[in-house]
Amino acid sequence: MENEKEDECFSFKPVELLVLEAGWNKGELKNYVPLVSDFIEEQEKVIRTEFGPQGDGDKISRELIDLLLRNGTLDQASEMLDQGEEMHKELWIRGECGDDDRARICKEWTQKYAKSWRRWRVLIYTFIATRLLAAMYDDIRC
């Protein structure tokens, strides 16, 4: 039960933050930036109307991040394709070792890795959103 609560948490572990920061600096996350940027642009308008004149950058940013976490996805179709690519890598590796039971391998991959894969994708989105929002609103306070 404790692991379930941990899995549902989308806070960054220090090592994850370091990995994401390194990926950001190397440009490895650049393919996700337009997707996150579009999400922010679309949702910011809605959130601004909800907050009215009291909507400072900090409140808007926090609401955008919360919305991203509640949604858990920004583009389900592309995420399914990306997950499929990961499964195909596993199929290839296991096939090289003589294991050709594709259905079982896909089921095992899903059971072992799908949840953590999705969590990592949401962490990527959250990290990028935080970076983009910090650049938009210099009054963000932690």
Side-chain angles (χ1 to χ4, degrees):
M1 187 67 118
E2 188 174 313
N3 285 343
E4 286 180 33
K5 287 182 182 179
E6 184 178 321
D7 288 343
E8 292 173 8
C9 179
F10 283 101
S11 62
F12 294 97
K13 296 175 184 167
V15 70
E16 292 171 332
L17 192 55
L18 291 172
V19 169
L20 288 166
E21 186 72 33
W24 176 265
N25 291 336
K26 292 178 187 174
E28 295 170 351
L29 306 180
K30 66 182 174 191
N31 292 340
Y32 302 109
V33 172
L35 184 63
V36 176
S37 183
D38 289 347
F39 170 81
I40 290 171
E41 187 177 320
E42 291 170 14
Q43 298 303 318
E44 181 188 27
K45 295 172 188 171
V46 174
I47 291 169
R48 278 194 179 283
T49 59
E50 290 174 11
F51 281 127
Q54 292 79 24
D56 65 8
D58 183 50
K59 288 181 182 178
I60 292 169
S61 296
R62 289 174 192 271
E63 185 62 28
L64 283 163
I65 296 295
D66 286 346
L67 182 59
L68 188 155
L69 293 173
R70 283 192 306 269
N71 288 346
T73 185
L74 296 183
D75 184 0
Q76 191 171 15
S78 72
E79 290 171 20
M80 294 300 288
L81 290 172
D82 290 348
Q83 261 190 335
E85 285 182 34
E86 293 300 316
M87 278 189 215
H88 283 285
K89 290 176 187 175
E90 183 74 9
L91 287 166
W92 182 83
I93 291 168
R94 303 269 291 269
E96 289 293 305
C97 296
D99 187 351
D100 294 323
D101 187 345
R102 297 175 64 83
R104 182 181 46 75
I105 293 168
C106 287
K107 184 177 179 179
E108 287 175 0
W109 187 93
T110 301
Q111 291 171 338
K112 288 181 183 178
Y113 304 112
K115 193 171 187 174
S116 61
W117 186 94
R118 286 189 301 271
R119 179 184 177 276
W120 183 248
R121 181 61 62 99
V122 172
L123 287 175
I124 290 170
Y125 292 155
T126 305
F127 178 84
I128 293 170
T130 302
R131 287 301 205 109
L132 296 176
L133 290 165
M136 288 173 59
Y137 303 111
D138 59 4
D139 61 346
I140 295 176
R141 307 284 185 264
C142 294

Coordinates of all heavy atoms in Angstrom, one line a residue, residues 10 35-36 39-40 43 47 61-74 121-130 133:
F10 N 4.0 12.8 -7.7 CA 4.7 13.3 -8.8 C 5.8 14.3 -8.4 O 6.1 15.2 -9.1 CB 3.8 13.9 -9.8 CG 3.1 12.9 -10.6 CD1 1.8 12.5 -10.4 CD2 3.8 12.2 -11.7 CE1 1.2 11.5 -11.1 CE2 3.1 11.2 -12.4 CZ 1.8 10.9 -12.1
L35 N 5.0 20.7 -27.2 CA 3.8 20.1 -26.6 C 3.4 20.8 -25.3 O 2.3 21.1 -25.0 CB 4.0 18.6 -26.4 CG 2.9 17.8 -25.9 CD1 1.7 17.8 -26.9 CD2 3.3 16.3 -25.7
V36 N 4.4 20.9 -24.4 CA 4.2 21.6 -23.1 C 3.8 23.1 -23.3 O 2.9 23.6 -22.7 CB 5.4 21.4 -22.2 CG1 5.2 22.2 -20.9 CG2 5.7 19.9 -21.9
F39 N 0.3 23.4 -24.4 CA -0.6 23.1 -23.2 C -0.7 24.4 -22.4 O -1.8 24.8 -22.0 CB -0.1 22.0 -22.4 CG -0.8 21.8 -21.1 CD1 -2.0 21.1 -21.0 CD2 -0.2 22.2 -19.9 CE1 -2.6 21.0 -19.8 CE2 -0.8 22.1 -18.7 CZ -2.1 21.4 -18.6
I40 N 0.4 25.0 -22.1 CA 0.4 26.2 -21.2 C -0.3 27.3 -21.9 O -1.2 28.0 -21.3 CB 1.9 26.6 -21.0 CG1 2.6 25.6 -20.0 CG2 1.9 28.0 -20.4 CD1 4.0 25.9 -19.8
Q43 N -4.2 26.5 -21.8 CA -4.8 26.4 -20.5 C -4.7 27.7 -19.7 O -5.5 28.0 -18.9 CB -4.2 25.3 -19.7 CG -4.5 23.9 -20.3 CD -6.0 23.6 -20.5 OE1 -6.8 24.0 -19.6 NE2 -6.3 23.1 -21.6
I47 N -7.4 29.6 -17.3 CA -7.1 29.8 -15.9 C -7.1 31.3 -15.5 O -7.6 31.7 -14.5 CB -5.7 29.2 -15.5 CG1 -5.9 27.6 -15.6 CG2 -5.2 29.6 -14.2 CD1 -4.6 26.9 -15.5
S61 N 0.7 29.7 -12.5 CA 1.7 28.6 -12.7 C 1.4 27.4 -11.9 O 1.4 26.3 -12.4 CB 3.1 29.1 -12.3 OG 3.5 30.1 -13.2
R62 N 1.0 27.6 -10.6 CA 0.7 26.5 -9.8 C -0.5 25.7 -10.3 O -0.6 24.5 -10.3 CB 0.5 26.9 -8.3 CG 1.8 27.3 -7.7 CD 1.5 27.9 -6.3 NE 2.7 28.5 -5.7 CZ 3.6 27.9 -5.0 NH1 3.5 26.6 -4.8 NH2 4.7 28.5 -4.6
E63 N -1.5 26.5 -10.8 CA -2.7 25.9 -11.3 C -2.4 25.1 -12.6 O -2.9 24.0 -12.8 CB -3.8 26.9 -11.6 CG -5.1 26.3 -12.0 CD -5.8 25.4 -11.0 OE1 -5.6 25.5 -9.8 OE2 -6.5 24.5 -11.4
L64 N -1.6 25.6 -13.4 CA -1.2 24.9 -14.7 C -0.4 23.6 -14.4 O -0.7 22.6 -15.0 CB -0.3 25.8 -15.5 CG -1.0 26.9 -16.3 CD1 0.0 28.0 -16.8 CD2 -1.8 26.3 -17.5
I65 N 0.4 23.6 -13.4 CA 1.2 22.4 -13.0 C 0.2 21.4 -12.4 O 0.2 20.2 -12.7 CB 2.3 22.7 -12.0 CG1 3.4 23.6 -12.7 CG2 2.9 21.4 -11.5 CD1 4.1 23.0 -13.8
D66 N -0.7 21.9 -11.6 CA -1.7 21.0 -11.0 C -2.6 20.3 -12.1 O -2.9 19.2 -12.0 CB -2.6 21.7 -10.0 CG -1.9 22.0 -8.7 OD1 -0.8 21.4 -8.4 OD2 -2.4 22.8 -7.9
L67 N -3.0 21.1 -13.0 CA -3.8 20.6 -14.1 C -3.0 19.6 -14.9 O -3.6 18.5 -15.3 CB -4.2 21.8 -15.0 CG -5.1 21.4 -16.2 CD1 -6.4 20.8 -15.7 CD2 -5.4 22.7 -17.0
L68 N -1.8 19.9 -15.2 CA -0.9 18.9 -15.9 C -0.9 17.6 -15.2 O -1.0 16.5 -15.7 CB 0.5 19.5 -16.1 CG 1.4 18.7 -17.0 CD1 2.5 19.7 -17.6 CD2 2.1 17.6 -16.3
L69 N -0.7 17.7 -13.9 CA -0.6 16.4 -13.0 C -1.9 15.7 -13.0 O -1.9 14.5 -13.0 CB -0.1 16.8 -11.6 CG 1.3 17.3 -11.5 CD1 1.6 17.8 -10.1 CD2 2.3 16.2 -12.0
R70 N -3.0 16.4 -12.9 CA -4.3 15.8 -12.9 C -4.6 15.1 -14.2 O -5.1 14.0 -14.2 CB -5.4 16.8 -12.6 CG -5.6 17.2 -11.2 CD -6.8 18.0 -10.9 NE -7.0 19.1 -11.7 CZ -6.6 20.4 -11.5 NH1 -6.0 20.6 -10.3 NH2 -6.9 21.4 -12.3
N71 N -4.2 15.7 -15.3 CA -4.5 15.1 -16.6 C -3.6 13.9 -16.8 O -4.0 12.9 -17.4 CB -4.2 16.1 -17.8 CG -5.2 17.2 -17.9 OD1 -6.3 17.1 -17.3 ND2 -4.9 18.2 -18.6
G72 N -2.3 14.0 -16.4 CA -1.4 12.9 -16.5 C -0.9 12.6 -17.9 O -0.1 11.7 -18.1
T73 N -1.3 13.4 -18.8 CA -0.9 13.3 -20.2 C -1.1 14.6 -21.0 O -1.9 15.4 -20.6 CB -1.6 12.1 -21.0 OG1 -1.1 12.0 -22.3 CG2 -3.1 12.4 -21.1
L74 N -0.3 14.8 -22.0 CA -0.6 15.9 -22.9 C -0.9 15.5 -24.3 O -1.6 16.2 -25.0 CB 0.7 16.8 -22.9 CG 1.1 17.5 -21.6 CD1 2.3 18.4 -21.8 CD2 -0.1 18.3 -21.0
R121 N 7.3 10.2 -17.8 CA 6.9 11.2 -18.9 C 6.2 12.4 -18.2 O 6.4 13.5 -18.6 CB 5.9 10.4 -19.8 CG 5.4 11.3 -21.0 CD 6.4 11.8 -21.9 NE 7.2 10.8 -22.6 CZ 7.0 10.4 -23.8 NH1 6.0 10.9 -24.5 NH2 7.7 9.5 -24.4
V122 N 5.4 12.2 -17.2 CA 4.7 13.3 -16.5 C 5.8 14.1 -15.8 O 5.7 15.4 -15.8 CB 3.6 12.8 -15.5 CG1 3.1 13.9 -14.7 CG2 2.5 12.2 -16.3
L123 N 6.8 13.5 -15.3 CA 7.9 14.3 -14.6 C 8.6 15.2 -15.7 O 9.0 16.3 -15.4 CB 8.9 13.4 -13.9 CG 8.4 12.7 -12.6 CD1 9.5 11.8 -12.1 CD2 8.1 13.8 -11.6
I124 N 8.8 14.6 -16.9 CA 9.4 15.4 -17.9 C 8.6 16.6 -18.3 O 9.1 17.7 -18.3 CB 9.6 14.5 -19.2 CG1 10.7 13.5 -19.0 CG2 10.0 15.4 -20.4 CD1 10.8 12.5 -20.1
Y125 N 7.3 16.4 -18.4 CA 6.3 17.5 -18.7 C 6.4 18.5 -17.6 O 6.4 19.7 -17.9 CB 4.9 17.0 -18.9 CG 4.6 16.1 -20.1 CD1 3.6 15.2 -20.1 CD2 5.4 16.2 -21.3 CE1 3.3 14.4 -21.2 CE2 5.1 15.4 -22.3 CZ 4.1 14.5 -22.3 OH 3.8 13.7 -23.4
T126 N 6.3 18.1 -16.4 CA 6.3 19.0 -15.3 C 7.6 19.8 -15.2 O 7.6 21.0 -14.9 CB 6.1 18.2 -13.9 OG1 4.9 17.4 -14.1 CG2 5.9 19.1 -12.8
F127 N 8.7 19.1 -15.4 CA 10.0 19.8 -15.4 C 10.0 20.9 -16.4 O 10.4 22.1 -16.2 CB 11.1 18.8 -15.6 CG 12.5 19.5 -15.6 CD1 13.2 19.7 -14.5 CD2 13.1 19.8 -16.8 CE1 14.4 20.3 -14.5 CE2 14.3 20.4 -16.9 CZ 15.0 20.6 -15.7
I128 N 9.6 20.6 -17.6 CA 9.6 21.5 -18.7 C 8.7 22.7 -18.5 O 9.0 23.8 -18.7 CB 9.3 20.9 -20.1 CG1 10.5 19.9 -20.5 CG2 9.1 21.9 -21.2 CD1 10.1 19.0 -21.6
A129 N 7.5 22.3 -18.0 CA 6.5 23.4 -17.7 C 7.0 24.3 -16.6 O 6.9 25.5 -16.7 CB 5.2 22.7 -17.2
T130 N 7.7 23.8 -15.6 CA 8.3 24.6 -14.6 C 9.3 25.6 -15.2 O 9.3 26.8 -14.8 CB 8.9 23.8 -13.5 OG1 7.9 22.9 -13.0 CG2 9.4 24.6 -12.4
L133 N 7.4 28.2 -17.4 CA 6.6 29.1 -16.6 C 7.5 30.1 -15.8 O 7.2 31.2 -15.6 CB 5.7 28.3 -15.6 CG 4.5 27.6 -16.3 CD1 3.9 26.6 -15.4 CD2 3.5 28.6 -16.8

